[in-house]
Amino acid sequence: MSLLNEIEPLKQSALAELGAAPDLPALEQIKGAWIGPHGKFTALMKQLGALPKEEKPAAGKLINAAKVELEGALAARREELELKAALPKEPTDFTLPGRRRAVGKLHPLTQVTDDIVRAFRKIGFVVADGPEIEDEFHCFDALNTPADHPARDSQDTFYIQTAGASVPPSPGGEGRGEGGQKPAKPYLLRTHTSSVQIRVMQSQPPPIRIIAPGRVYRRDNADATHNPTFHQIEGLYVDKGVTVSDLKGTVEFVFKELMGPDVKLRFRPHYFSYTEPSMEIDFTNALVKKLGKDWLEIAGCGMVHPQVFENVGYDPEVWSGWAFGFGIERIAMLRYGINDIRLFYENDVRFLRQF
């Protein structure tokens, strides 16, 4: 049989085997057997050199056409087998109910913080932020805190040891660094977010209407109601003609938004170095009654002390304002009936999934 007569039968055999390949590995073997470097069709092409000169063009044309057809059949069968391999081995019942991925939830403290911020934004307050590592000026001095105030002692506050600075001495200490020189003022972990109020007042003129939520630190032993790290939110309003009635109205609105319309508040005289007059806020509602109490202390507040205004460059004869603050954990514990603050920080998903 001449070479021209062998081309068509070989092509048909190759097409039949390619079309019958059961899987991809078998297809690769068939490809190698026919059009691979040592395949039957490749060997046929190598015989072109032995043909008479007048037969070479026709034979080459037939071989090239057959090769193109085989490569097309190979590609088509490969696509079919790849699609077949990608299909599930077992049929899918699309009438079955779907499976939803588990969706995460916000931490209960984050939920309460968002609700507090939302309540304040309704009456025109904006959120302000500041560093958690503070200096003594913003955390104490600017807030009119005396040098001998217990909060400034290292037994109550986390001071940070840095080059050229040392922690304040305990009561009765010398308060001197090396060589008898007075040590530089140290940095500390902020004990309240009041430092944010100072930074905002230093950075802009009145009027100011801000809230400052954030993490604060105090040297408390962890128990059911205390933790060295907790969250606080403070509010500040500075303008001309601000009075205590503005403070009371704002506090009442916010706590009714957070704890329900049955909230009742009372204000008791107190002392804070950065407000004058200063007050403690007690509240009551159905939740407090369930605890077997008539009133529960919830926040501290007062009119901004004139000395604080002077410390930030405001004229206390022109401007007046109020400030108040409370713990976010306290609100969350009352709201959700939680009796141990440590549950918020243990990251037990069995607890967190309830909120």
Side-chain angles (χ1 to χ4, degrees):
M1 183 182 293
S2 67
L3 182 63
L4 289 173
N5 294 331
E6 291 181 25
I7 295 173
E8 185 63 24
L10 285 172
K11 183 187 77 171
Q12 294 301 326
S13 298
L15 288 173
E17 289 193 26
L18 289 171
D23 51 38
L24 290 170
L27 183 67
E28 291 301 316
Q29 288 183 358
I30 295 170
K31 172 190 172 183
W34 286 100
I35 55 178
H38 305 289
K40 297 176 184 178
F41 215 82
T42 306
L44 191 65
M45 297 176 65
K46 293 178 180 178
Q47 297 178 31
L48 281 173
L51 290 177
K53 185 176 181 180
E54 61 275 7
E55 294 182 12
K56 286 183 178 179
K61 185 176 180 180
L62 285 174
I63 291 174
N64 286 332
K67 185 178 179 183
V68 169
E69 189 174 350
L70 290 176
E71 289 177 346
L74 173 66
R77 186 56 179 166
R78 179 181 286 119
E79 186 176 352
E80 291 175 4
L81 294 174
E82 287 177 347
L83 179 61
K84 182 180 177 181
L87 292 175
K89 295 181 179 179
E90 296 182 2
T92 301
D93 186 352
F94 291 100
T95 65
L96 292 174
R99 296 178 182 176
R100 294 187 177 181
R101 293 183 180 272
V103 179
K105 300 175 67 176
L106 293 176
H107 192 279
L109 293 180
T110 303
Q111 294 182 40
V112 172
T113 302
D114 289 347
D115 289 343
I116 295 171
V117 170
R118 193 176 299 113
F120 275 104
R121 280 179 169 161
K122 288 182 179 180
I123 50 178
F125 282 73
V126 298
V127 176
D129 194 14
E132 294 181 13
I133 297 178
E134 268 294 1
D135 54 50
E136 285 193 306
F137 174 79
H138 291 94
C139 202
F140 296 128
D141 295 338
L143 290 161
N144 200 34
T145 305
D148 58 352
H149 194 281
R152 304 182 74 145
D153 187 76
S154 59
Q155 294 179 357
D156 291 337
T157 299
F158 291 102
Y159 284 88
I160 299 173
Q161 193 80 32
T162 58
S166 61
V167 300
S170 299
E174 294 296 328
R176 297 288 173 180
E178 295 182 2
Q181 296 182 351
K182 189 175 181 180
K185 287 189 177 181
Y187 289 101
L188 53 98
L189 297 179
R190 66 184 182 188
T191 58
H192 46 200
T193 57
S194 302
S195 56
V196 179
Q197 300 179 24
I198 297 300
R199 289 183 175 275
V200 171
M201 286 191 286
Q202 284 183 313
S203 65
Q204 68 182 74
I208 290 174
R209 191 180 295 185
I210 64 162
I211 52 172
R215 184 181 288 109
V216 296
Y217 307 84
R218 296 180 189 175
R219 297 191 70 159
D220 288 327
N221 294 321
D223 57 29
T225 57
H226 298 85
N227 202 67
T229 302
F230 59 99
H231 298 79
Q232 191 180 55
I233 190 164
E234 299 197 10
L236 173 68
Y237 178 37
V238 180
D239 207 338
K240 294 179 180 178
V242 176
T243 65
V244 173
S245 62
D246 299 316
L247 167 61
K248 289 186 174 181
T250 302
V251 170
E252 183 177 5
F253 171 81
V254 169
F255 278 105
K256 284 189 174 181
E257 286 281 307
L258 293 176
M259 311 299 289
D262 62 332
V263 164
K264 293 182 180 180
L265 301 178
R266 72 179 183 185
F267 295 77
R268 293 180 289 105
H270 196 69
Y271 169 77
F272 299 109
S273 60
Y274 35 84
T275 53
E276 180 60 37
S278 302
M279 293 167 283
E280 290 277 11
I281 305 173
D282 298 334
F283 95 108
T284 186
N285 69 349
L287 294 174
V288 177
K289 300 296 184 183
K290 285 183 179 179
L291 297 175
K293 299 182 179 182
D294 293 328
W295 295 92
L296 199 63
E297 179 185 319
I298 195 68
C301 66
M303 301 300 292
V304 179
H305 198 291
Q307 184 60 51
V308 174
F309 279 152
E310 291 183 5
N311 291 340
V312 296
Y314 288 4
D315 186 348
E317 297 296 327
V318 176
W319 305 104
S320 58
W322 52 254
F324 76 91
F326 54 88
I328 295 174
E329 280 85 347
R330 188 73 178 275
I331 299 294
M333 292 174 74
L334 290 169
R335 198 179 196 184
Y336 301 126
I338 298 168
N339 57 12
D340 194 328
I341 194 174
R342 291 168 292 191
L343 292 170
F344 290 123
Y345 318 119
E346 292 175 350
N347 291 328
D348 189 330
V349 293
R350 295 171 299 175
F351 170 77
L352 297 176
R353 282 174 183 159
Q354 301 176 70
F355 307 98

